[in-house]
Amino acid sequence: MSIPGSDLIPYLNFISRWALFIAVTYKAYETRDKGWVLISTAFFIDALDMEDYILNPLGIHIDPHAYAIAAKIPNFFFGILIIWGAFHLKYGKTEFKHTICISALTVISYIWLFLLATDVFKSPTERALLPSLVLEGALIYLGRVLDKYVISRGTPEALFPWGLILLGALNVTYPVTRFIDWFAPIGFFLGGIFRLIAAIGAIKFVFYPVTPLSVRGNPSPPQGVFLFRSRSETFRKLGKLCSIPGTVVITREDLRTLKNHLNPETLVFWITRAKEGKLEERP
C-alpha cells in the first residue's frame, strides 16, 4: 500500500530524531538538570538507530541473526533512560522506590535479551513484545510528565509531550502491526508524523519559550493588604487571583502541585532552601 509523500517519511524521521536530541541536549546544557541529561542521552541513542537507507550506501550490513537481538537493545536503553529522566523532572530527584524500579527493569531487560539468543520465542511478535512495551510506556510516561509538570497546556510547546504520547500509543501495536503487510507502511508513516510533531514542539519549547502577555478583560483585584488563615478563605474573599495573567506569587508550596492552578504567565518566587537557582521555566 502506497501513501502519498511516504517516500519522504524516512528522511523526516531521521531529521526529527536529531532535532529532538539537539533540542533536549540544549535544554540539559541550559538548565544543568540531571533529568534532561538522561533524556538527551536517550534521544541520542534513538537518533543513532540507523535505517537501511543510511547503512546500505555506506556498505554496512547487519547480520540477520544478530539483528534479532541488536534491534531490541536500543528499546531497552531508551526506555530505561527516559523513565529515569522523567522521575527527575517530576520529583526533582530519584528516590529509593524509583531506583528499585529502574534496577528491576534493567535486570528484566538483560534476561529478555539473553532469551532472544535462545529458541524460547517462536515468533517475531513474541520477541518484540517486551521491548515495545518498555519503549511505548517510557514515551507515554515522559509525555504525561512534560504535559502536567513542565510544559504549559494550550501552547505550541504542548506538541512536544503529545507527539511523544501519540508515538508511544502507536508503538503499543508494533509487535502485531509491524508484520501486517498492508498496515506496516501506515504505521511507519504515522510514526514519522508523530515524531515530527514532538520535534516541532520541543524546538518551540527550548528555543522560543517566551509567550506574549495577554490579559483578557479588565481584571480589578481588590486593593490593600490582607491576611488569611487558609487558601480556601483567601479564594472565598478575593477569588482565584492566581488565574489572572501577570500575577506575581511568592510561595513555599510545592510548585508541582501549585502549578496546576496558575496561569502560564504567572511569575513565581519559590521560597525554599531545597534548591538554588531557576526551578521552572513557566510559571
Side-chain angles (χ1 to χ4, degrees):
M1 179 178 181
S2 178
I3 300 175
S6 59
D7 293 342
L8 297 177
I9 291 298
Y11 302 98
L12 288 177
N13 212 346
F14 176 77
I15 294 171
S16 299
R17 290 173 191 262
W18 282 100
L20 281 168
F21 164 67
I22 292 171
V24 174
T25 299
Y26 183 81
K27 187 68 175 179
Y29 169 79
E30 183 182 43
T31 62
R32 300 298 196 275
D33 187 280
K34 296 176 184 177
W36 288 115
V37 172
L38 291 166
I39 294 169
S40 68
T41 305
F43 280 124
F44 182 60
I45 292 174
D46 187 54
L48 291 177
D49 187 14
M50 298 297 186
E51 306 286 351
D52 289 340
Y53 68 92
I54 296 175
L55 295 178
N56 290 340
L58 298 176
I60 300 174
H61 304 280
I62 300 177
D63 187 290
H65 299 289
Y67 185 76
I69 300 176
K72 304 301 183 291
I73 294 175
N75 288 15
F76 287 125
F77 279 16
F78 181 86
I80 290 170
L81 288 169
I82 285 292
I83 294 172
W84 191 0
F87 283 155
H88 272 279
L89 293 186
K90 183 176 180 179
Y91 300 100
K93 60 180 180 178
T94 303
E95 299 179 356
F96 179 75
K97 61 181 179 180
H98 303 141
T99 306
I100 294 296
C101 291
I102 294 297
S103 300
L105 182 57
T106 302
V107 172
I108 293 171
S109 301
Y110 170 78
I111 294 173
W112 192 274
L113 290 171
F114 178 81
L115 292 177
L116 286 176
T118 68
D119 58 356
V120 171
F121 302 112
K122 305 304 181 183
S123 68
T125 297
E126 292 178 356
R127 297 188 192 99
L129 194 61
L130 183 63
S132 296
L133 182 63
V134 171
L135 178 63
E136 60 89 3
L139 287 169
I140 292 176
Y141 181 67
L142 175 60
R144 288 178 59 85
V145 169
L146 291 174
D147 179 60
K148 187 173 182 180
Y149 298 100
V150 180
I151 293 176
S152 300
R153 294 176 178 177
T155 64
E157 289 93 331
L159 292 173
F160 183 17
W162 278 103
L164 297 179
I165 291 172
L166 291 172
L167 185 61
L170 178 66
N171 273 281
V172 175
T173 69
Y174 178 84
V176 177
T177 57
R178 171 64 179 84
F179 306 103
I180 300 176
D181 292 339
W182 66 268
F183 185 83
I186 298 175
F188 189 63
F189 177 81
L190 292 175
I193 295 299
F194 294 156
R195 185 174 275 107
L196 179 63
I197 289 173
I200 292 172
I203 291 172
K204 177 67 174 67
F205 168 63
V206 174
F207 297 107
Y208 307 98
V210 178
T211 302
L213 185 64
S214 58
V215 179
R216 296 179 179 85
N218 184 24
S220 301
Q223 302 295 318
V225 178
F226 305 88
L227 178 63
F228 298 102
R229 296 183 180 88
S230 67
R231 171 178 295 174
S232 59
E233 184 183 0
T234 304
F235 288 165
R236 282 200 308 271
K237 299 292 181 62
L238 300 181
K240 295 186 178 181
L241 297 178
C242 295
S243 63
I244 299 176
T247 302
V248 178
V249 176
I250 303 174
T251 182
R252 295 182 64 185
E253 185 174 352
D254 184 358
L255 284 191
R256 291 170 177 81
T257 300
L258 182 65
K259 189 172 183 179
N260 294 329
H261 307 288
L262 296 178
N263 187 281
E265 295 161 356
T266 302
L267 176 62
V268 179
F269 292 94
W270 192 37
I271 309 302
T272 179
R273 298 180 66 182
K275 185 171 182 178
E276 182 177 351
K278 182 181 290 187
L279 182 68
E280 299 278 354
E281 289 297 324
R282 281 197 319 278

